[in-house]
Amino acid sequence: MAATAASGLQMATARPCISCSHRVVKVGAAILGASSKGASWAKLASGSHISSIQPFQRTFMSSSVKLNKAVTKAMSESSDSKLVSGLPIDLRGKRAFIAGVADDNGYGWAIAKSLAASGAEILVGTWVPALNIFETSLRRGKFDESRVLPDGSLMDITKVYPLDAVFDNPEDVPEDVKTNKRYAGSSKWTVQEVAESVKQDFGSIDILVHSLANGPEVSKPLLETSRKGYLAAISASSYSYVSLLKHFLPIMNPGGSSISLTYIASERIIPGYGGGMSSAKAALESDTRVLAFEAGRKNRIRVNTISAGPLRSRAAKAIGFIDTMIEYSLANAPLQKELSADEVGNAAAFLASPLASAVTGTVMYVDNGLNTMGVGVDSPVFKDLDIPKDSHQG
């Protein structure tokens, strides 16, 4: 029972990854600045839809570097860049591990891109059965278009680890999984082993991202969900985060950040999001608060979760009603626009940065404000009311 990539409605994949080529290029810090005279960050700014501040900017190291199709591998660089006005999201010298990246169109990928654009080095964990496809796609350039960063360079993934976050250590893996041909050729993919491998390869990390979930009976109403299916959803979608933080905490640098992804079904009724998944998201949010206290006191690690709106990802499409949820959000959210994965990625970059140094134990809503609504204003009940519409919709 593996965790399946869940980007849109938070049905995320959680399985280890593969190793990619190491390419380095000097990158500057992403800037949330008042002046937009620097490098062109308009793309990132428009993606994040931050209306109260000017577009992101990037400043580059003064030493000359040829950037002909440079591949950005957000690695640390000595900070000899000039001072720039504004609030910097500068993650140079930071290393992030994102669990649950198996393709290029989910929230996990978007978070990796935003962290890379801010200067962080990227490591990912991909579900073992998806490893070969993911590695092949990266190698053949299938993801190149979606790897493009705001400065025109390409995000590079330093290393991809195989990961199955349902299993804490080798002793937990049942024989039928060990002998499954989809796991053949991969090793050291339990949570404990991956944390040990990252420690051996890199020593430490600064940012941990949990972007995975799985509910084998998600299409079933709660009253029809089996005990096995319910516990599987809890295991893959919420306890997996506890396990990841437990095993990675010893190698996280003090002052680091841990982020997960949740969904509004944790606190509101979303028919169709069943199989115990709503309960798993509620558990994840509760655990976020407890983990914020424990990890904060133990190692000064901040723990937050992002409640993201619906996204038309491959994983969400498998649930079957993602298009309906997106249409509902467009009709009823305060901001009448479709949510982009980049907006969630940018929120994660903020939470991972020093700008959020006093933010922990929170649920950050990135859903165009849909969580604030008490009724669906597209209901016929309100047909005679003068409900304001977005005058900028095309």
Side-chain angles (χ1 to χ4, degrees):
M1 286 194 251
T4 348
S7 335
L9 270 177
Q10 303 311 320
M11 286 299 305
T13 300
R15 294 272 206 277
C17 305
I18 72 184
S19 59
C20 299
S21 60
H22 300 42
R23 287 171 282 185
V24 188
V25 95
K26 290 186 177 180
V27 298
I31 302 293
L32 268 173
S35 166
S36 58
K37 294 181 181 177
S40 90
W41 274 73
K43 184 176 178 182
L44 182 56
S46 62
S48 60
H49 294 277
I50 301 175
S51 59
S52 61
I53 45 187
Q54 294 296 323
F56 285 83
Q57 301 176 323
R58 173 175 293 272
T59 57
F60 291 90
M61 307 299 291
S62 56
S63 56
S64 60
V65 181
K66 289 186 179 178
L67 290 176
N68 39 342
K69 202 164 185 181
V71 179
T72 297
K73 171 189 179 182
M75 291 192 66
S76 74
E77 300 291 344
S78 53
S79 57
D80 53 345
S81 56
K82 296 179 180 178
L83 290 177
V84 194
S85 62
L87 296 174
I89 293 186
D90 186 354
L91 297 178
R92 288 174 299 170
K94 305 298 182 182
R95 183 176 296 114
F97 181 88
I98 300 102
V101 179
D103 57 36
D104 65 338
N105 74 342
Y107 286 139
W109 178 272
I111 290 172
K113 279 185 67 177
S114 290
L115 295 177
S118 301
E121 180 179 10
I122 304 301
L123 314 175
V124 301
T126 299
W127 184 39
V128 185
L131 191 61
N132 285 336
I133 295 176
F134 186 64
E135 180 179 22
T136 300
S137 296
L138 279 172
R139 187 174 60 250
R140 293 181 178 177
K142 183 178 179 181
F143 298 152
D144 281 1
E145 184 177 350
S146 52
R147 288 170 61 202
V148 177
L149 297 175
D151 67 347
S153 62
L154 301 182
M155 173 181 72
D156 189 33
I157 297 173
T158 300
K159 187 164 185 178
V160 186
Y161 292 86
L163 169 68
D164 191 329
V166 167
F167 304 108
D168 296 332
N169 52 60
E171 291 71 35
D172 291 341
V173 184
E175 196 60 35
D176 63 320
V177 174
K178 290 179 180 178
T179 57
N180 190 310
K181 62 181 182 180
R182 297 197 298 170
Y183 287 75
S186 295
S187 61
K188 297 182 178 180
W189 42 258
T190 64
V191 177
Q192 176 186 316
E193 291 173 303
V194 173
E196 290 172 348
S197 294
V198 172
K199 180 181 180 180
Q200 182 177 354
D201 293 341
F202 299 97
S204 64
I205 65 171
D206 304 277
I207 302 161
L208 177 66
V209 178
H210 176 276
S211 176
L212 53 91
N214 184 45
E217 299 180 17
V218 66
S219 60
K220 292 184 179 180
L222 189 57
L223 283 173
E224 297 176 15
T225 300
S226 69
R227 181 185 296 271
K228 182 178 180 181
Y230 184 94
L231 294 178
I234 295 289
S235 173
S237 310
S238 56
Y239 184 76
S240 58
Y241 185 42
V242 177
S243 179
L244 276 170
L245 190 52
K246 171 185 176 181
H247 288 93
F248 275 87
L249 189 62
I251 66 170
M252 291 188 73
N253 295 316
S257 175
S258 183
I259 303 164
S260 65
L261 290 167
T262 185
Y263 182 54
I264 193 65
S266 62
E267 53 186 290
R268 300 284 188 272
I269 300 167
I270 307 292
Y273 194 74
M277 280 304 302
S278 58
S279 306
K281 291 303 182 181
L284 181 66
E285 292 179 17
S286 177
D287 291 343
T288 294
R289 291 183 285 272
V290 177
L291 292 171
F293 174 76
E294 295 182 359
R297 290 297 182 93
K298 190 169 185 178
N299 205 31
R300 277 200 301 122
I301 300 299
R302 294 177 292 108
V303 182
N304 295 287
T305 188
I306 295 174
S307 184
L311 177 72
R312 197 176 276 107
S313 67
R314 293 187 186 94
K317 286 177 182 177
I319 300 175
F321 65 101
I322 185 61
D323 290 334
T324 301
M325 293 306 299
I326 291 174
E327 290 170 8
Y328 179 85
S329 180
L330 282 169
N332 294 287
L335 299 178
Q336 289 189 280
K337 63 180 182 59
E338 189 166 335
L339 182 72
S340 75
D342 288 344
E343 291 172 302
V344 172
N346 294 339
F350 161 73
L351 288 174
S353 78
L355 294 179
S357 60
V359 180
T360 192
T362 66
V363 176
M364 174 182 281
Y365 295 94
V366 185
D367 62 357
N368 289 324
L370 187 62
N371 71 93
T372 65
M373 300 302 296
V375 296
V377 294
D378 62 343
S379 170
V381 174
F382 302 108
K383 62 182 174 58
D384 295 327
L385 293 182
D386 185 18
I387 305 291
K389 304 259 180 169
D390 185 351
S391 59
H392 295 90
Q393 275 191 307

